[in-house]
Amino acid sequence: MKLYSTNNSQEFYSLKEAVMKGLPDDNGLFMPKVIPTLPKKFFTDLKNYSFKDLSFEICKHLFQNAIPEKDLSKIINNSITFPAPVVHLDEDKSILELFHGPSLAFKDFGARFMSQLMSYFNQGEKKELVILVATSGDTGGAVAAGFLKTKGIKVVILYPSGKVSMLQEKQLTTLGHNIEALEVDGTFDDCQALVKRAFLDEELNKRIRLSSANSINIARLIPQSFYYFEAYKQLETKKDVAFVIPSGNFGNLTAGLFAKRMGLPVKHFVAATNANNIVPEYLNKGTYISRASVPTISNAMDVGAPSNFARMLDLYSLQWNGMREEIKGYSFNDDATRKGIKEVFDKYNYVIDPHGAVGYLALKEFQKQYSNTKGIILETAHPSKFNKEVEAQIKKKVNIPTRLSELASRKKVATSIGTDFDSFKSLLQKKYS
Ligand SMILES: *Cc1c(COP(=O)(O)O)cnc(C)c1O
């Protein structure tokens, strides 16, 4: 498999280089040189494939010979460890539940797969790889769970003291093994500044093999394309299929575009955003204007400069018309989102989270124009992660799954640090060099 940068399509990188580097030096994003169409037989047999088996098949075609089949099979077995069930609301509206992983959000898929690939490519290295992550809460939890007990890799997570929820903190601080939490007496920006400086520090990089679990690593996108196939497999329909993706940085939607390029018969993608509507605006008007994000109740989508937009443009060779033919964009404010949560509960007795609710509203708008379609909404997080907002609408308690609630009784282990870089640096050197 070869990859290029969205800023330079003439130079190629191996899968190993792309995964271990995360970002090309020219500030573009890695893209596969070829996204192969899967054989017809794969689609006619799809119903007989397990989630793991179809993931293996897709990956085998995409990776070509980058990883021997035996090793790839292990990587898939260790990554696809929770299901992605489709739940039907009615005849034409279904939900793809992507929250059955340890941190209750779809990011668990990407984090696990990336940890497996990094560990594989790290084999034979004498020194362990140390992954630094700054988190404002959510990403850290997915990364911590995804990398737990991964061979040859240590993870150091920096989070702002007192600024993450109790359960989020427990997700970061109770795992032990190869996961270390640093509680920073400062803000998320301070955490990020410490990590950024560490990557630039020559002495540190000589002594420790540092890496990041960057959200735009191609290793996070690839497994996100698997569950589009898994969802399609669960449908019985002759209608056109549209996937609805509640979006922020548009990684999930880009993974869907990969799936379509691989031959999955999807007619439309629906880009659903909150008030941060940069991409819907581009689709409707043809002008792309990034801006500072505004806070909303679907806060994992509060993004003012979507990082994967460069990949989307690349897939459509910068053609606005091509993109708006396949992708329809809609945005909704918090008031509408709250009503959406209530409506889904009243009408279908289904508890949806604020991100999924934005998707539900977008599907309703879309189907006004495209009535003969089957819509699948990606439910990106479990509603209990946003229980205050959800409970206010449905007037009922939302159950917290035991895999999360049991963390409450576990003992927090974290090292407190300040925002001073030199002490952070000497702590890293003492522990990891
Ligand atoms: C990260 C996240 C999103 C946005 O996904 P992108 O791939 O960045 O578009 C949506 N919903 C939830 C719950 C998330 O955690």
Side-chain angles (χ1 to χ4, degrees):
M1 180 186 193
K2 290 199 174 81
L3 298 103
Y4 61 88
S5 160
T6 49
N7 283 345
N8 178 1
S9 58
Q10 303 305 312
E11 223 177 287
F12 297 102
Y13 302 78
S14 68
L15 178 63
K16 178 174 179 175
E17 284 172 307
V19 170
M20 298 312 258
K21 272 174 87 74
L23 281 179
D25 294 326
D26 62 13
N27 264 323
L29 299 178
F30 285 118
M31 284 294 276
K33 180 173 180 230
V34 178
I35 302 178
T37 309
L38 292 160
K40 272 222 172 65
K41 188 166 163 22
F42 173 69
F43 292 99
T44 47
D45 289 353
L46 196 59
K47 293 237 180 314
N48 303 323
Y49 280 86
S50 68
F51 191 9
K52 275 185 180 166
D53 290 345
L54 67 84
S55 303
F56 173 80
E57 208 55 35
I58 295 162
C59 221
K60 192 179 82 181
H61 280 86
L62 185 63
F63 284 4
Q64 289 146 12
N65 298 317
I67 297 180
E69 287 195 15
K70 181 169 91 357
D71 297 317
L72 183 59
S73 168
K74 253 193 230 156
I75 289 168
I76 296 287
N77 264 319
N78 291 333
S79 325
I80 308 298
T81 51
F82 35 87
V86 171
V87 173
H88 302 293
L89 294 182
D90 64 23
E91 176 92 18
D92 292 329
K93 294 186 188 63
S94 302
I95 303 252
L96 172 61
E97 294 185 342
L98 297 175
F99 53 66
H100 293 277
S103 81
L104 313 188
F106 78 87
K107 291 187 179 69
D108 286 327
F109 284 99
R112 282 196 87 82
F113 189 75
M114 176 162 59
S115 80
Q116 294 302 313
L117 272 190
M118 281 187 159
S119 168
Y120 174 77
F121 286 132
N122 197 45
Q123 281 175 42
E125 293 286 350
K126 287 196 191 68
K127 269 173 141 181
E128 66 194 1
L129 193 64
V130 177
I131 309 255
L132 297 181
V133 193
T135 184
S136 54
D138 251 13
T139 316
V143 170
F147 280 82
L148 181 63
K149 300 184 191 169
T150 303
K151 272 199 203 109
I153 301 184
K154 292 264 161 66
V155 178
V156 179
I157 299 178
L158 291 81
Y159 72 96
S161 180
K163 295 188 177 67
V164 304
S165 75
M166 185 273 282
L167 283 178
Q168 278 179 335
E169 183 171 40
K170 295 275 179 159
Q171 283 187 303
L172 307 173
T173 60
T174 62
L175 294 172
H177 298 280
N178 59 332
I179 312 294
E180 165 153 24
L182 301 180
E183 181 173 4
V184 179
D185 185 16
T187 62
F188 169 64
D189 290 337
D190 293 323
C191 299
Q192 213 163 19
L194 286 172
V195 168
K196 276 203 177 138
R197 257 191 89 177
F199 286 128
L200 295 174
D201 191 283
E202 238 174 83
E203 191 194 351
L204 204 52
N205 282 275
K206 258 189 215 141
R207 297 178 60 173
I208 310 177
R209 292 185 57 231
L210 291 178
S211 186
S212 82
N214 212 306
S215 67
I216 42 195
N217 195 306
I218 189 78
R220 293 208 14 194
L221 278 196
I222 290 167
Q224 289 173 214
S225 65
F226 304 161
Y227 47 67
Y228 286 88
F229 290 82
E230 174 66 8
Y232 191 85
K233 174 186 105 178
Q234 296 172 62
L235 301 178
E236 305 276 351
T237 188
K238 294 204 166 59
K239 293 182 180 170
D240 287 342
V241 168
F243 278 99
V244 184
I245 301 106
S247 293
N249 273 315
F250 284 79
N252 230 352
L253 196 144
T254 304
L257 299 177
F258 284 10
K260 178 160 178 162
R261 299 289 162 111
M262 290 188 263
L264 193 70
V266 184
K267 179 87 178 189
H268 285 114
F269 292 91
V270 179
T273 74
N274 56 32
N276 298 283
N277 63 348
I278 289 77
V279 172
E281 214 167 75
Y282 170 79
L283 292 166
N284 294 327
K285 297 184 193 155
T287 46
Y288 180 85
I289 308 166
S290 64
R291 47 182 178 260
S293 65
V294 296
T296 74
I297 62 166
S298 49
N299 56 36
M301 311 198 294
D302 295 349
V303 178
S307 52
N308 281 292
F309 188 67
R311 283 191 169 118
M312 294 167 67
L313 277 178
D314 193 83
L315 282 168
Y316 291 99
S317 315
L318 310 174
Q319 296 298 308
W320 177 57
N321 271 322
M323 197 192 290
R324 68 196 232 110
E325 179 87 25
E326 275 181 6
I327 310 175
K328 309 292 169 187
Y330 304 92
S331 79
F332 299 91
N333 64 21
D334 282 350
D335 272 350
T337 307
R338 290 192 177 99
K339 285 188 189 121
I341 294 171
K342 184 172 178 343
E343 183 175 316
V344 172
F345 185 69
D346 291 346
K347 236 173 145 168
Y348 305 109
N349 199 26
Y350 186 87
V351 182
I352 203 163
D353 97 293
H355 304 79
V358 171
Y360 169 76
L361 296 167
L363 178 58
K364 272 191 20 176
E365 273 311 299
F366 171 79
Q367 285 180 332
K368 278 183 192 163
Q369 204 180 341
Y370 300 88
S371 52
N372 197 30
T373 53
K374 173 104 190 158
I376 301 137
I377 305 157
L378 273 58
E379 173 58 320
T380 48
H382 191 279
S384 67
K385 292 190 89 164
F386 305 91
N387 54 355
K388 294 265 149 28
E389 278 300 337
V390 175
E391 285 167 4
Q393 298 312 316
I394 70 170
K395 316 275 187 234
K396 237 184 89 167
K397 272 250 168 271
V398 179
N399 285 334
I400 300 179
T402 44
R403 63 190 181 283
L404 189 60
S405 61
E406 71 182 11
L407 291 180
S409 60
R410 292 219 205 143
K411 194 172 162 340
K412 159 183 162 183
V413 179
T415 307
S416 293
I417 65 166
T419 54
D420 163 54
F421 179 70
D422 290 325
S423 12
F424 171 55
K425 178 173 166 180
S426 57
L427 181 148
L428 286 179
Q429 282 178 326
K430 217 181 283 164
K431 286 209 158 158
Y432 300 106
S433 70

